[in-house]
PDB file of all heavy atoms in Angstrom:
ATOM      1  N   GLU W   1       0.830  -1.156  -0.017  1.00  0.00           N
ATOM      2  CA  GLU W   1       0.011   0.020  -0.010  1.00  0.00           C
ATOM      3  C   GLU W   1       0.861   1.192   0.001  1.00  0.00           C
ATOM      4  O   GLU W   1       1.748   1.373   0.852  1.00  0.00           O
ATOM      5  CB  GLU W   1      -0.983  -0.032   1.176  1.00  0.00           C
ATOM      6  CG  GLU W   1      -1.895   1.191   1.173  1.00  0.00           C
ATOM      7  CD  GLU W   1      -2.895   0.993   2.305  1.00  0.00           C
ATOM      8  OE1 GLU W   1      -2.814   0.178   3.185  1.00  0.00           O
ATOM      9  OE2 GLU W   1      -3.927   1.869   2.286  1.00  0.00           O
ATOM     10  N   ASP W   2       0.648   2.113  -0.966  1.00  0.00           N
ATOM     11  CA  ASP W   2       1.411   3.311  -1.097  1.00  0.00           C
ATOM     12  C   ASP W   2       2.916   3.091  -1.100  1.00  0.00           C
ATOM     13  O   ASP W   2       3.740   3.785  -0.586  1.00  0.00           O
ATOM     14  CB  ASP W   2       1.164   4.250   0.047  1.00  0.00           C
ATOM     15  CG  ASP W   2      -0.313   4.762   0.104  1.00  0.00           C
ATOM     16  OD1 ASP W   2      -0.901   4.832  -1.043  1.00  0.00           O
ATOM     17  OD2 ASP W   2      -0.819   4.988   1.167  1.00  0.00           O
ATOM     18  N   GLY W   3       3.327   1.966  -1.863  1.00  0.00           N
ATOM     19  CA  GLY W   3       4.740   1.706  -2.064  1.00  0.00           C
ATOM     20  C   GLY W   3       5.361   0.980  -0.877  1.00  0.00           C
ATOM     21  O   GLY W   3       6.514   0.651  -0.949  1.00  0.00           O
ATOM     22  N   LYS W   4       4.572   0.735   0.176  1.00  0.00           N
ATOM     23  CA  LYS W   4       5.148   0.091   1.420  1.00  0.00           C
ATOM     24  C   LYS W   4       4.576  -1.226   1.607  1.00  0.00           C
ATOM     25  O   LYS W   4       3.329  -1.424   1.428  1.00  0.00           O
ATOM     26  CB  LYS W   4       4.903   1.022   2.621  1.00  0.00           C
ATOM     27  CG  LYS W   4       5.497   2.438   2.625  1.00  0.00           C
ATOM     28  CD  LYS W   4       5.169   3.166   3.860  1.00  0.00           C
ATOM     29  CE  LYS W   4       5.944   4.537   3.752  1.00  0.00           C
ATOM     30  NZ  LYS W   4       5.631   5.274   4.985  1.00  0.00           N
ATOM     31  N   ARG W   5       5.445  -2.220   1.975  1.00  0.00           N
ATOM     32  CA  ARG W   5       4.927  -3.507   2.216  1.00  0.00           C
ATOM     33  C   ARG W   5       4.493  -3.671   3.721  1.00  0.00           C
ATOM     34  O   ARG W   5       5.321  -3.294   4.648  1.00  0.00           O
ATOM     35  CB  ARG W   5       5.963  -4.580   1.907  1.00  0.00           C
ATOM     36  CG  ARG W   5       5.560  -5.979   2.267  1.00  0.00           C
ATOM     37  CD  ARG W   5       6.468  -7.039   1.835  1.00  0.00           C
ATOM     38  NE  ARG W   5       6.096  -8.425   1.996  1.00  0.00           N
ATOM     39  CZ  ARG W   5       6.647  -9.502   1.542  1.00  0.00           C
ATOM     40  NH1 ARG W   5       7.622  -9.370   0.764  1.00  0.00           N
ATOM     41  NH2 ARG W   5       6.130 -10.622   1.930  1.00  0.00           N
ATOM     42  N   LEU W   6       3.316  -4.009   3.996  1.00  0.00           N
ATOM     43  CA  LEU W   6       2.783  -4.252   5.344  1.00  0.00           C
ATOM     44  C   LEU W   6       2.710  -5.775   5.602  1.00  0.00           C
ATOM     45  O   LEU W   6       2.265  -6.554   4.814  1.00  0.00           O
ATOM     46  CB  LEU W   6       1.393  -3.582   5.457  1.00  0.00           C
ATOM     47  CG  LEU W   6       1.380  -2.102   5.019  1.00  0.00           C
ATOM     48  CD1 LEU W   6      -0.178  -1.652   5.135  1.00  0.00           C
ATOM     49  CD2 LEU W   6       2.211  -1.268   5.917  1.00  0.00           C
ATOM     50  N   ALA W   7       3.093  -6.139   6.814  1.00  0.00           N
ATOM     51  CA  ALA W   7       2.998  -7.533   7.266  1.00  0.00           C
ATOM     52  C   ALA W   7       1.617  -7.936   7.376  1.00  0.00           C
ATOM     53  O   ALA W   7       0.664  -7.168   7.786  1.00  0.00           O
ATOM     54  CB  ALA W   7       3.719  -7.732   8.509  1.00  0.00           C
ATOM     55  N   SER W   8       1.336  -9.208   7.155  1.00  0.00           N
ATOM     56  CA  SER W   8      -0.008  -9.811   7.366  1.00  0.00           C
ATOM     57  C   SER W   8       0.146 -10.939   8.334  1.00  0.00           C
ATOM     58  O   SER W   8       0.305 -12.164   7.950  1.00  0.00           O
ATOM     59  CB  SER W   8      -0.595 -10.308   6.015  1.00  0.00           C
ATOM     60  OG  SER W   8       0.304 -11.171   5.275  1.00  0.00           O
ATOM     61  N   ASP W   9       0.214 -10.643   9.625  1.00  0.00           N
ATOM     62  CA  ASP W   9       0.319 -11.612  10.627  1.00  0.00           C
ATOM     63  C   ASP W   9      -0.924 -12.288  11.042  1.00  0.00           C
ATOM     64  O   ASP W   9      -0.922 -13.267  11.909  1.00  0.00           O
ATOM     65  CB  ASP W   9       1.028 -10.992  11.901  1.00  0.00           C
ATOM     66  CG  ASP W   9       0.260  -9.806  12.437  1.00  0.00           C
ATOM     67  OD1 ASP W   9      -0.685  -9.346  11.719  1.00  0.00           O
ATOM     68  OD2 ASP W   9       0.676  -9.310  13.556  1.00  0.00           O
ATOM     69  N   ARG W  10      -2.017 -11.849  10.526  1.00  0.00           N
ATOM     70  CA  ARG W  10      -3.280 -12.459  10.746  1.00  0.00           C
ATOM     71  C   ARG W  10      -4.296 -12.278   9.608  1.00  0.00           C
ATOM     72  O   ARG W  10      -3.935 -11.328   8.849  1.00  0.00           O
ATOM     73  CB  ARG W  10      -3.931 -12.119  12.162  1.00  0.00           C
ATOM     74  CG  ARG W  10      -4.246 -10.620  12.215  1.00  0.00           C
ATOM     75  CD  ARG W  10      -4.941 -10.238  13.527  1.00  0.00           C
ATOM     76  NE  ARG W  10      -4.186 -10.677  14.687  1.00  0.00           N
ATOM     77  CZ  ARG W  10      -4.767 -11.475  15.635  1.00  0.00           C
ATOM     78  NH1 ARG W  10      -6.000 -11.948  15.524  1.00  0.00           N
ATOM     79  NH2 ARG W  10      -4.008 -11.887  16.736  1.00  0.00           N
ATOM     80  N   GLY W  11      -5.352 -12.934   9.522  1.00  0.00           N
ATOM     81  CA  GLY W  11      -6.349 -12.814   8.520  1.00  0.00           C
ATOM     82  C   GLY W  11      -6.092 -13.691   7.221  1.00  0.00           C
ATOM     83  O   GLY W  11      -4.986 -14.292   7.182  1.00  0.00           O
ATOM     84  N   THR W  12      -7.012 -13.853   6.409  1.00  0.00           N
ATOM     85  CA  THR W  12      -6.907 -14.577   5.192  1.00  0.00           C
ATOM     86  C   THR W  12      -6.495 -13.744   4.071  1.00  0.00           C
ATOM     87  O   THR W  12      -6.656 -12.434   4.117  1.00  0.00           O
ATOM     88  CB  THR W  12      -8.179 -15.305   4.809  1.00  0.00           C
ATOM     89  OG1 THR W  12      -9.213 -14.277   4.717  1.00  0.00           O
ATOM     90  CG2 THR W  12      -8.657 -16.321   5.852  1.00  0.00           C
ATOM     91  N   PRO W  13      -5.795 -14.262   3.002  1.00  0.00           N
ATOM     92  CA  PRO W  13      -5.298 -13.345   1.931  1.00  0.00           C
ATOM     93  C   PRO W  13      -6.434 -12.491   1.323  1.00  0.00           C
ATOM     94  O   PRO W  13      -7.511 -12.960   0.796  1.00  0.00           O
ATOM     95  CB  PRO W  13      -4.818 -14.396   0.890  1.00  0.00           C
ATOM     96  CG  PRO W  13      -4.594 -15.628   1.638  1.00  0.00           C
ATOM     97  CD  PRO W  13      -5.506 -15.671   2.714  1.00  0.00           C
ATOM     98  N   GLN W  14      -6.209 -11.150   1.307  1.00  0.00           N
ATOM     99  CA  GLN W  14      -7.181 -10.210   0.728  1.00  0.00           C
ATOM    100  C   GLN W  14      -7.297 -10.462  -0.743  1.00  0.00           C
ATOM    101  O   GLN W  14      -6.387 -10.522  -1.490  1.00  0.00           O
ATOM    102  CB  GLN W  14      -6.694  -8.879   1.046  1.00  0.00           C
ATOM    103  CG  GLN W  14      -6.849  -8.405   2.535  1.00  0.00           C
ATOM    104  CD  GLN W  14      -6.740  -6.824   2.606  1.00  0.00           C
ATOM    105  OE1 GLN W  14      -7.004  -6.103   1.632  1.00  0.00           O
ATOM    106  NE2 GLN W  14      -6.485  -6.406   3.725  1.00  0.00           N
ATOM    107  N   GLY W  15      -8.522 -10.553  -1.177  1.00  0.00           N
ATOM    108  CA  GLY W  15      -8.920 -10.808  -2.584  1.00  0.00           C
ATOM    109  C   GLY W  15      -8.419 -12.118  -3.121  1.00  0.00           C
ATOM    110  O   GLY W  15      -8.476 -12.396  -4.316  1.00  0.00           O
ATOM    111  N   GLY W  16      -7.934 -13.038  -2.216  1.00  0.00           N
ATOM    112  CA  GLY W  16      -7.484 -14.344  -2.666  1.00  0.00           C
ATOM    113  C   GLY W  16      -8.554 -15.326  -2.924  1.00  0.00           C
ATOM    114  O   GLY W  16      -9.575 -15.406  -2.286  1.00  0.00           O
ATOM    115  N   LEU W  17      -8.400 -16.141  -3.993  1.00  0.00           N
ATOM    116  CA  LEU W  17      -9.369 -17.162  -4.308  1.00  0.00           C
ATOM    117  C   LEU W  17      -9.392 -18.253  -3.328  1.00  0.00           C
ATOM    118  O   LEU W  17     -10.413 -18.941  -3.153  1.00  0.00           O
ATOM    119  CB  LEU W  17      -9.021 -17.800  -5.741  1.00  0.00           C
ATOM    120  CG  LEU W  17      -9.114 -16.755  -6.921  1.00  0.00           C
ATOM    121  CD1 LEU W  17      -8.618 -17.562  -8.149  1.00  0.00           C
ATOM    122  CD2 LEU W  17     -10.441 -16.282  -7.085  1.00  0.00           C
ATOM    123  N   ILE W  18      -8.395 -18.365  -2.496  1.00  0.00           N
ATOM    124  CA  ILE W  18      -8.348 -19.428  -1.544  1.00  0.00           C
ATOM    125  C   ILE W  18      -8.951 -18.971  -0.199  1.00  0.00           C
ATOM    126  O   ILE W  18      -9.219 -19.807   0.763  1.00  0.00           O
ATOM    127  CB  ILE W  18      -6.867 -19.858  -1.228  1.00  0.00           C
ATOM    128  CG1 ILE W  18      -6.908 -21.326  -0.646  1.00  0.00           C
ATOM    129  CG2 ILE W  18      -6.076 -18.885  -0.366  1.00  0.00           C
ATOM    130  CD1 ILE W  18      -5.401 -21.891  -0.605  1.00  0.00           C
ATOM    131  N   SER W  19      -9.285 -17.683  -0.023  1.00  0.00           N
ATOM    132  CA  SER W  19      -9.700 -17.159   1.305  1.00  0.00           C
ATOM    133  C   SER W  19     -11.087 -17.748   1.669  1.00  0.00           C
ATOM    134  O   SER W  19     -11.227 -18.035   2.836  1.00  0.00           O
ATOM    135  CB  SER W  19      -9.853 -15.577   1.194  1.00  0.00           C
ATOM    136  OG  SER W  19      -8.553 -15.101   1.190  1.00  0.00           O
ATOM    137  N   PRO W  20     -12.131 -17.902   0.787  1.00  0.00           N
ATOM    138  CA  PRO W  20     -13.384 -18.370   1.238  1.00  0.00           C
ATOM    139  C   PRO W  20     -13.286 -19.727   1.819  1.00  0.00           C
ATOM    140  O   PRO W  20     -13.924 -19.983   2.879  1.00  0.00           O
ATOM    141  CB  PRO W  20     -14.187 -18.375  -0.077  1.00  0.00           C
ATOM    142  CG  PRO W  20     -13.615 -17.273  -0.888  1.00  0.00           C
ATOM    143  CD  PRO W  20     -12.104 -17.388  -0.667  1.00  0.00           C
ATOM    144  N   VAL W  21     -12.505 -20.702   1.220  1.00  0.00           N
ATOM    145  CA  VAL W  21     -12.491 -22.004   1.737  1.00  0.00           C
ATOM    146  C   VAL W  21     -11.650 -22.066   3.064  1.00  0.00           C
ATOM    147  O   VAL W  21     -11.989 -22.858   3.968  1.00  0.00           O
ATOM    148  CB  VAL W  21     -11.954 -23.106   0.647  1.00  0.00           C
ATOM    149  CG1 VAL W  21     -10.529 -22.764   0.324  1.00  0.00           C
ATOM    150  CG2 VAL W  21     -12.092 -24.486   1.244  1.00  0.00           C
ATOM    151  N   LEU W  22     -10.654 -21.212   3.154  1.00  0.00           N
ATOM    152  CA  LEU W  22      -9.932 -21.222   4.390  1.00  0.00           C
ATOM    153  C   LEU W  22     -10.782 -20.693   5.517  1.00  0.00           C
ATOM    154  O   LEU W  22     -10.645 -21.207   6.655  1.00  0.00           O
ATOM    155  CB  LEU W  22      -8.657 -20.251   4.254  1.00  0.00           C
ATOM    156  CG  LEU W  22      -7.511 -20.797   3.394  1.00  0.00           C
ATOM    157  CD1 LEU W  22      -6.449 -19.765   3.312  1.00  0.00           C
ATOM    158  CD2 LEU W  22      -7.014 -22.153   3.901  1.00  0.00           C
ATOM    159  N   ALA W  23     -11.631 -19.692   5.226  1.00  0.00           N
ATOM    160  CA  ALA W  23     -12.529 -19.135   6.192  1.00  0.00           C
ATOM    161  C   ALA W  23     -13.491 -20.259   6.704  1.00  0.00           C
ATOM    162  O   ALA W  23     -13.840 -20.358   7.813  1.00  0.00           O
ATOM    163  CB  ALA W  23     -13.298 -18.061   5.635  1.00  0.00           C
ATOM    164  N   ASN W  24     -13.989 -21.044   5.666  1.00  0.00           N
ATOM    165  CA  ASN W  24     -14.839 -22.196   6.080  1.00  0.00           C
ATOM    166  C   ASN W  24     -14.198 -23.228   6.960  1.00  0.00           C
ATOM    167  O   ASN W  24     -14.798 -23.746   7.834  1.00  0.00           O
ATOM    168  CB  ASN W  24     -15.457 -22.788   4.723  1.00  0.00           C
ATOM    169  CG  ASN W  24     -16.769 -22.260   4.335  1.00  0.00           C
ATOM    170  OD1 ASN W  24     -17.424 -21.559   5.052  1.00  0.00           O
ATOM    171  ND2 ASN W  24     -17.120 -22.484   3.073  1.00  0.00           N
ATOM    172  N   VAL W  25     -12.948 -23.544   6.678  1.00  0.00           N
ATOM    173  CA  VAL W  25     -12.198 -24.330   7.467  1.00  0.00           C
ATOM    174  C   VAL W  25     -12.056 -23.939   8.931  1.00  0.00           C
ATOM    175  O   VAL W  25     -12.317 -24.679   9.863  1.00  0.00           O
ATOM    176  CB  VAL W  25     -10.794 -24.729   6.863  1.00  0.00           C
ATOM    177  CG1 VAL W  25      -9.942 -25.495   7.903  1.00  0.00           C
ATOM    178  CG2 VAL W  25     -10.841 -25.388   5.558  1.00  0.00           C
ATOM    179  N   TYR W  26     -11.818 -22.607   9.023  1.00  0.00           N
ATOM    180  CA  TYR W  26     -11.573 -22.063  10.328  1.00  0.00           C
ATOM    181  C   TYR W  26     -12.859 -22.121  11.162  1.00  0.00           C
ATOM    182  O   TYR W  26     -12.911 -22.601  12.290  1.00  0.00           O
ATOM    183  CB  TYR W  26     -11.137 -20.626  10.226  1.00  0.00           C
ATOM    184  CG  TYR W  26     -10.485 -19.985  11.445  1.00  0.00           C
ATOM    185  CD1 TYR W  26      -9.088 -20.323  11.712  1.00  0.00           C
ATOM    186  CD2 TYR W  26     -11.094 -19.158  12.316  1.00  0.00           C
ATOM    187  CE1 TYR W  26      -8.553 -19.687  12.720  1.00  0.00           C
ATOM    188  CE2 TYR W  26     -10.545 -18.587  13.401  1.00  0.00           C
ATOM    189  CZ  TYR W  26      -9.123 -18.939  13.639  1.00  0.00           C
ATOM    190  OH  TYR W  26      -8.615 -18.343  14.751  1.00  0.00           O
ATOM    191  N   LEU W  27     -13.970 -21.705  10.527  1.00  0.00           N
ATOM    192  CA  LEU W  27     -15.265 -21.725  11.243  1.00  0.00           C
ATOM    193  C   LEU W  27     -15.808 -23.107  11.382  1.00  0.00           C
ATOM    194  O   LEU W  27     -16.724 -23.355  12.273  1.00  0.00           O
ATOM    195  CB  LEU W  27     -16.294 -20.745  10.580  1.00  0.00           C
ATOM    196  CG  LEU W  27     -15.910 -19.270  10.727  1.00  0.00           C
ATOM    197  CD1 LEU W  27     -16.820 -18.422   9.957  1.00  0.00           C
ATOM    198  CD2 LEU W  27     -15.776 -18.829  12.153  1.00  0.00           C
TER     199      LEU W  27
END
């Protein structure tokens, strides 16, 4: 974002095709 890399230490991949199924696994 704005040329800076931000760490993602939690959450599912934003906009990722794999996020929905990972969310289902978690819940």
Side-chain angles (χ1 to χ4, degrees):
E1 185 173 9
D2 297 329
K4 297 180 180 179
R5 180 171 179 172
L6 307 176
S8 53
D9 56 351
R10 60 176 56 235
T12 57
Q14 287 196 23
L17 297 176
I18 202 170
S19 291
V21 64
L22 290 178
N24 267 342
V25 171
Y26 202 79
L27 291 176

